[in-house]
Amino acid sequence: MTKIKLCGLKRPQDIQAANELLPAYIGFVFAPKSRRYVHPARAEELRRMLNPGIIPVGVFVNETPETVAALLDRGIIDIAQLHGKEDAAYIRRLRQLTKKPLIQAFRIDTPADVAAAQASTADYVLLDSGAGGTGTCFDWSLLKDIQRPYFLAGGLTPENVGGAVATLHPYAVDVSSGIETDGAKDKEKMTRFVRAVRGVPGKDEEP
């Protein structure tokens, strides 16, 4: 079954909702310019509240490898997601500092972007819309030839994620803005998103 990552969590109630829904992953955003930014000390508090069966991922944008490795090795996060201009040399340096898994994000506009993701030395790749973080989808037909498992991101919502999973069969789906209302995580949308991925009818749907 396709795994789920609920990203951009920053409040205790977000963690409580995740603990009920049990996605495979949740994401803490450590990019200071993001409106979803969470301070590492706050993330550490939230991690202690998190169900131990859920893997916390840290999202970074052009952060120093030393800072990323420190958060991994302190156990605040278990996986680092690189969402900036990090290259193969950056990944090599980070691997010298930590043995924890890495996700490299790619913004998909052209077949060349897909080829770059295919060649990534990271443990996982995440494929996002070219605009990145705008809640819009990219052209999924570009993925027809990709040969490695990937996290699908970019514009996913409770309404369209079921179709995405049925069509593309990604390793995982990643959502942030699609489960928000007025800039905050919405438990009802989180629940509908998870149900859509898992094919579980909602209370108002026919079985």
Side-chain angles (χ1 to χ4, degrees):
M1 180 179 289
T2 295
K3 297 181 183 298
I4 298 167
K5 176 167 170 272
L6 304 177
C7 199
L9 307 192
K10 55 189 294 189
R11 305 174 302 168
Q13 55 263 50
D14 301 339
I15 300 297
Q16 290 165 3
N19 287 344
E20 292 179 23
L21 296 169
L22 295 176
Y25 308 92
I26 61 95
F28 296 130
V29 177
F30 294 114
K33 293 183 179 180
S34 171
R35 63 182 176 84
R36 301 182 182 98
Y37 171 75
V38 60
H39 189 278
R42 177 65 162 169
E44 190 167 24
E45 295 174 1
L46 296 173
R47 168 65 194 262
R48 287 197 290 267
M49 298 171 53
L50 186 66
N51 183 302
I54 301 173
I55 298 171
V57 178
V59 180
F60 302 90
V61 178
N62 303 321
E63 186 54 83
T64 66
E66 291 75 14
T67 297
V68 176
L71 291 174
L72 286 163
D73 292 341
R74 283 170 59 190
I76 296 175
I77 52 173
D78 291 341
I79 301 178
Q81 179 177 316
L82 310 176
H83 227 288
K85 299 184 182 301
E86 300 88 356
D87 57 11
Y90 180 101
I91 292 175
R92 284 195 300 272
R93 173 58 181 155
L94 192 49
R95 290 201 187 282
Q96 293 173 348
L97 299 171
T98 180
K99 298 185 183 302
K100 296 291 182 69
L102 308 176
I103 303 170
Q104 186 174 16
F106 291 85
R107 296 179 176 181
I108 304 299
D109 286 318
T110 68
D113 299 325
V114 178
Q118 182 74 41
S120 171
T121 58
D123 299 279
Y124 305 95
V125 295
L126 180 145
L127 310 181
D128 203 350
S129 61
T134 61
T136 57
C137 298
F138 63 89
D139 181 0
W140 292 340
S141 70
L142 291 168
L143 305 183
K144 63 183 185 299
D145 296 324
I146 192 164
Q147 298 297 312
R148 67 182 292 177
Y150 59 88
F151 286 71
L152 179 68
L156 296 177
T157 67
E159 291 71 35
N160 68 12
V161 71
V165 169
T167 302
L168 300 172
H169 308 290
Y171 167 76
V173 288
D174 184 303
V175 65
S176 190
S177 60
I179 51 171
E180 291 179 347
T181 298
D182 298 328
K185 291 295 179 282
D186 182 320
K187 183 179 178 181
E188 188 267 338
K189 289 182 179 179
M190 295 168 77
T191 301
R192 287 197 293 115
F193 186 92
V194 169
R195 284 177 169 166
V197 175
R198 294 174 177 162
V200 178
K203 61 183 178 181
D204 297 325
E205 301 171 41
E206 293 294 330

